[in-house]
Amino acid sequence: MKSITIDPITRLEGHGKIHLFVKEDGELANCYFQVPELRGFEKFCQGRPVEEMARITTRICGVCPDAHHMAAAKAADAVYGVKIPSAAYKLRSLVYNAFFAGDHTTHFYALGGPDFVCGPDAPPGERNILGVIAKVGLDAGKQVIAQRAAGQRVIEIIGGKKVHPVTALPGGMSKRVSKDEQAEIQKLGDQMVEFAKFTVKVLNDVVLANPAYVELILSDSYAHKTYNMGLVDEQNKVNFYDGKVRVVGPDGKEHAKYEPKDYLQFVAEHVEPYSYLKYPYLKQIGWKGFVDGVDSGVYKASPLSRLNVSDGMATPLAQAEYERFYATLTHDKSGKTMVHATLATHWARVVELIYAAEMVQKLSRDDEITSDKIMEIPTATPSEGVGIVEAPRGTLTHHYRTDSKGIVVEANLIVGTTNNNAAITMSIKRAAEGLIKRGTEITQGTLNRIEMAFRAYDPCFGCATHSLPGEMPLEVIVHDADTGEVVQIARRQC
Amino acid sequence: MPIILCLGNEIISDDRFGYEVAEALKDDAVFCGTVEVHFAARAGFELIPLLAERPAALVVDTIRTGHDQPGTVRMHDMGAFAPSNHLVNSHQISLPTALALARLYGIPMPASIEVLTVEAADLETLSEALTVRVAAAVAPAQQLIRKWLNSKVENHVSFKD
């Protein structure tokens, strides 16, 4: 048996390893996805005031600080049993959608985009954001930077700080928005919507106009029929900030729809000895291993999942793109027929980008966001609470239990990427099975196509905020398992 | 105004070094009014606005080379760090790569960027404390930063926006 190691994975947060075990006849025997994530955050939270969690948890991850900020704030609201004022609700929703728009922009253009814009077989030195800019033009790159800046500016206005917001507190928000700031956000919202339209054009021109890419997206190598999870509003429309968690089976039937506080009735976590990262699964279905189908508790929580569990989008442009998405991929624009193609997640992300931009535009025109009534001072004795939001990478759950003074005595976090751990492992294996055969030369393109299987999930495993100098070399070692002899080494230079 | 840009994560042991240095500098009268000291738990794209239109910049960060003893403080020219081909993402793109991107778009970046690094012992443990050797490196780092500041004065770097 031969072992192929891809380590570290490029273009995702944190470091991970993929082990592919290849039989003598060249067939793939098994696949292990290892994640050396930082551990012990729940323990780290103990002994801290629950109102501080919204600021501390932004340091868990340099990619989704806003998601942790909001999930922690919602959990703290629940701990104190307080309902936040309508204006605070709208401000949180507004800033959260601005964050989503920026995050999805980054992934589409800097992470997932290079695989399609530059091509999956392009040399690594070209398959990056500079390669994307070279293809789509300098002006497009300027728009990407401007879009990110717009999102950051909205976060700064409402969240108090760029990147790491601080204003969501138990009971509401600590900072009101002035009329001048509202006017500025309105302009930024308009800009975001125009950028979203531009992104649809890029998607059409570069990806969907290329039959080879459409074939790649729809290929069996990148498909899994699992359950899907996501937050929905009362009309079962996608909602990033609030709602009930809806779980839909691979056959399109609703498995569950529950309040965040009830999540432990529906989700459990499986442990494998080779990985620090747990494998959440649907409790009432059970853990049946890394298999898909209605009898397996494996589920996905991703942009594609959110579309699959919903009955549509709550804004007009996003709804139109939602219908085009399903009409193209399933010939049923209603969305009732599931899309299981992992690579379609990139397109789903664009649908969500449009929605997020429209929500910023819509909420910025609601004069209630300038109200002074942004805080309901908590008066109840704190006890226990759960906060759930949709992070860009999936459903994010914060669960705190406190003493009567609001000091955290127990915390449980299920982050977006963790939901997808089992599905990511399965996707990597499926992609490798389709690509690694007897006598196959393992090229850089082959490796990248395997990586594409999980890059679509936009996984995020790291917690350190940065690295210097930041290069991440890629090395592949092929062993003959019987003799231990190294038969092939492939290195990706940075 | 020049900037001393201290990077890191306050809750990951030695990755907290930038935060500790920034706190120490804020209490040092030498730096008041002559240079902006800024701590940021950010990276990549997010650093471009902080560095744009600065006459000079010093980046303070934690590094793990494996070649030095933990706590070793070194000064580097930004040229010592090669841009990555991978531009891994908004978070992990290297600072040189972010600068290359900024130059591509004509965003004015400091003519001089130097980097002060400390060799880390622990970048995994969730902790609000540095390891002993890295904690002992804060004061020497402060001295090196004073020298950097003096050299900028001697070289007539503008200290006004």
Side-chain angles (χ1 to χ4, degrees):
Chain A
M1 187 175 287
K2 296 173 182 176
S3 161
I4 301 171
T5 303
I6 303 175
D7 175 34
I9 299 158
T10 57
R11 266 184 284 147
L12 62 84
E13 285 300 313
H15 294 194
K17 282 185 181 179
I18 299 171
H19 294 283
L20 304 177
F21 291 89
V22 183
K23 298 176 189 173
E24 282 303 316
D25 64 2
E27 295 294 324
L28 187 73
N30 218 331
C31 166
Y32 296 96
F33 184 45
Q34 286 184 313
V35 180
E37 70 155 8
L38 291 174
R39 292 153 293 164
F41 195 80
E42 284 94 343
K43 184 79 177 171
F44 184 79
C45 295
Q46 292 175 9
R48 298 173 187 277
V50 72
E51 62 267 28
E52 286 188 7
M53 297 311 298
R55 287 183 288 112
I56 294 170
T57 55
T58 61
R59 293 295 194 268
I60 293 176
C61 172
V63 179
C64 331
D66 303 71
H68 285 290
H69 185 63
M70 285 304 171
K74 288 181 71 179
D77 294 338
V79 162
Y80 281 100
V82 63
K83 184 181 180 197
I84 68 172
S86 172
Y89 185 97
K90 288 174 180 174
L91 283 171
R92 286 189 188 180
S93 185
L94 198 171
V95 73
Y96 199 56
N97 277 282
F99 155 68
F100 242 86
D103 195 279
H104 276 5
T105 297
T106 301
H107 189 277
F108 183 78
Y109 287 95
L111 305 177
D115 290 331
F116 293 98
V117 178
C118 308
D121 297 317
E126 297 173 13
R127 202 175 54 241
N128 53 46
I129 191 171
L130 290 179
V132 172
I133 291 168
K135 287 264 187 180
V136 301
L138 273 175
D139 284 344
K142 276 183 184 169
Q143 289 196 54
V144 172
I145 291 175
Q147 166 79 349
R148 286 181 49 80
Q152 292 296 338
R153 178 62 185 145
V154 175
I155 293 169
E156 185 177 25
I157 292 170
I158 300 174
K161 285 175 71 178
K162 284 181 179 173
V163 184
H164 296 114
V166 294
T167 52
L169 292 171
M173 298 289 278
S174 62
K175 177 182 178 295
R176 63 180 291 273
V177 168
S178 70
K179 289 285 184 188
D180 287 346
E181 288 172 330
Q182 181 191 18
E184 185 179 354
I185 296 170
Q186 285 175 2
K187 286 182 183 172
L188 294 169
D190 294 345
Q191 178 186 322
M192 288 178 175
V193 171
E194 289 307 309
F195 178 81
K197 292 178 186 171
F198 167 78
T199 302
V200 172
K201 185 175 185 306
V202 171
L203 175 78
N204 288 339
D205 293 349
V206 177
V207 182
L208 301 180
N210 186 332
Y213 286 168
V214 175
E215 186 181 341
L216 184 68
I217 290 170
L218 293 173
S219 73
D220 286 342
S221 294
Y222 295 102
H224 276 293
K225 294 181 178 178
T226 68
Y227 284 80
N228 289 275
M229 175 184 285
L231 277 180
V232 293
D233 65 16
E234 291 177 356
Q235 285 76 45
N236 282 345
K237 301 288 178 69
V238 170
N239 194 309
F240 301 142
Y241 172 71
D242 203 15
K244 289 183 180 176
V245 178
R246 191 176 192 216
V247 181
V248 172
D251 52 2
K253 293 179 182 171
E254 182 178 285
H255 164 71
K257 189 175 174 184
Y258 58 87
E259 296 281 355
K261 65 180 175 58
D262 298 325
Y263 81 104
L264 286 174
Q265 295 176 33
F266 297 91
V267 176
E269 294 178 295
H270 172 76
V271 176
E272 288 284 351
Y274 57 80
S275 178
Y276 295 130
L277 199 64
K278 293 175 183 174
Y279 299 86
Y281 63 95
L282 298 172
K283 203 173 190 174
Q284 295 167 5
I285 306 291
W287 175 258
K288 309 289 170 56
F290 296 100
V291 291
D292 54 11
V294 291
D295 296 326
S296 169
V298 171
Y299 67 90
K300 292 193 287 266
S302 69
L304 176 59
S305 306
R306 289 190 283 261
L307 264 54
N308 275 338
V309 303
S310 77
D311 291 344
M313 312 300 290
T315 56
L317 294 176
Q319 175 63 24
E321 190 65 12
Y322 173 96
E323 291 177 10
R324 190 172 75 108
F325 173 88
Y326 280 102
T328 303
L329 299 178
T330 70
H331 306 295
D332 175 8
K333 70 176 185 180
S334 76
K336 301 252 184 248
T337 306
M338 302 283 98
V339 170
H340 297 293
T342 307
L343 294 183
T345 308
H346 295 296
W347 189 354
R349 198 169 278 116
V350 173
V351 177
E352 291 194 336
L353 169 58
I354 302 166
Y355 167 73
E358 286 182 288
M359 285 299 290
V360 172
Q361 188 182 53
K362 178 184 172 186
L363 288 165
S364 70
R365 280 164 171 73
D366 189 327
D367 286 338
E368 194 178 6
I369 66 169
T370 61
S371 167
D372 290 331
K373 296 176 183 173
I374 53 174
M375 173 62 75
E376 181 71 35
I377 301 296
T379 55
T381 302
S383 57
E384 185 173 5
V386 177
I388 292 184
V389 297
E390 284 299 322
R393 287 140 200 91
T395 310
L396 171 63
T397 303
H398 281 219
H399 180 186
Y400 307 133
R401 196 165 57 80
T402 73
D403 65 14
S404 61
K405 294 179 180 176
I407 303 299
V408 175
V409 295
E410 194 174 337
N412 185 39
L413 277 65
I414 301 177
V415 303
T417 293
T418 307
N419 292 293
N420 297 314
N421 196 13
I424 289 171
T425 302
M426 291 159 57
S427 290
I428 292 167
K429 184 180 179 187
R430 178 69 57 80
E433 282 173 341
L435 293 164
I436 309 284
K437 297 292 181 188
R438 184 182 179 87
T440 301
E441 182 189 358
I442 302 167
T443 64
Q444 295 293 327
T446 305
L447 296 177
N448 191 55
R449 283 167 188 262
I450 294 171
E451 290 186 62
M452 284 169 65
F454 60 82
R455 198 173 294 139
Y457 294 91
D458 192 13
C460 170
F461 301 112
C463 296
T465 56
H466 61 279
S467 61
L468 255 177
E471 288 82 9
M472 299 178 73
L474 181 69
E475 186 174 70
V476 178
I477 305 170
V478 182
H479 297 273
D480 184 310
D482 294 329
T483 64
E485 184 183 353
V486 175
V487 296
Q488 185 181 354
I489 297 177
R491 287 194 176 91
R492 177 176 294 173
Q493 301 296 332
C494 291
Chain B
M1 181 180 284
I3 186 169
I4 298 172
L5 182 55
C6 303
L7 305 178
N9 188 332
E10 309 100 298
I11 64 169
I12 300 181
S13 193
D14 290 340
D15 207 13
R16 183 183 168 86
F17 182 75
Y19 173 80
E20 296 285 357
V21 169
E23 288 298 303
L25 296 182
K26 283 175 181 171
D27 295 333
D28 192 329
V30 171
F31 298 97
C32 292
T34 58
V35 63
E36 181 182 337
V37 178
H38 192 102
F39 169 72
R42 306 188 206 173
F45 285 125
E46 317 297 353
L47 300 181
I48 294 174
L50 292 170
L51 292 169
E53 300 185 8
R54 303 282 185 174
L58 176 68
V59 175
V60 178
D61 203 355
T62 306
I63 198 167
R64 181 184 274 165
T65 65
H67 303 309
D68 285 325
Q69 290 295 318
T72 304
V73 177
R74 293 190 187 278
M75 290 286 283
H76 314 264
D77 188 83
M78 180 53 74
F81 298 104
S84 162
N85 277 339
H86 281 301
L87 288 170
V88 282
N89 64 23
S90 63
H91 187 58
Q92 287 191 324
I93 68 169
S94 66
L95 181 55
T97 301
L99 295 175
L101 200 61
R103 280 194 289 272
L104 183 67
Y105 284 104
I107 300 169
M109 287 285 118
S112 159
I113 299 180
E114 286 157 275
V115 185
L116 184 150
T117 63
V118 65
E119 183 78 11
D122 184 353
L123 289 175
E124 285 81 31
T125 304
L126 286 160
S127 168
E128 290 173 288
L130 299 169
T131 58
V132 174
R133 284 182 170 181
V134 174
V138 173
Q142 202 170 350
Q143 291 305 313
L144 278 173
I145 295 170
R146 280 175 181 244
K147 284 184 184 174
W148 175 83
L149 193 61
N150 288 335
S151 75
K152 295 303 160 193
V153 173
E154 289 166 5
N155 288 307
H156 308 294
V157 170
S158 168
F159 277 74
K160 291 182 180 177
D161 283 331

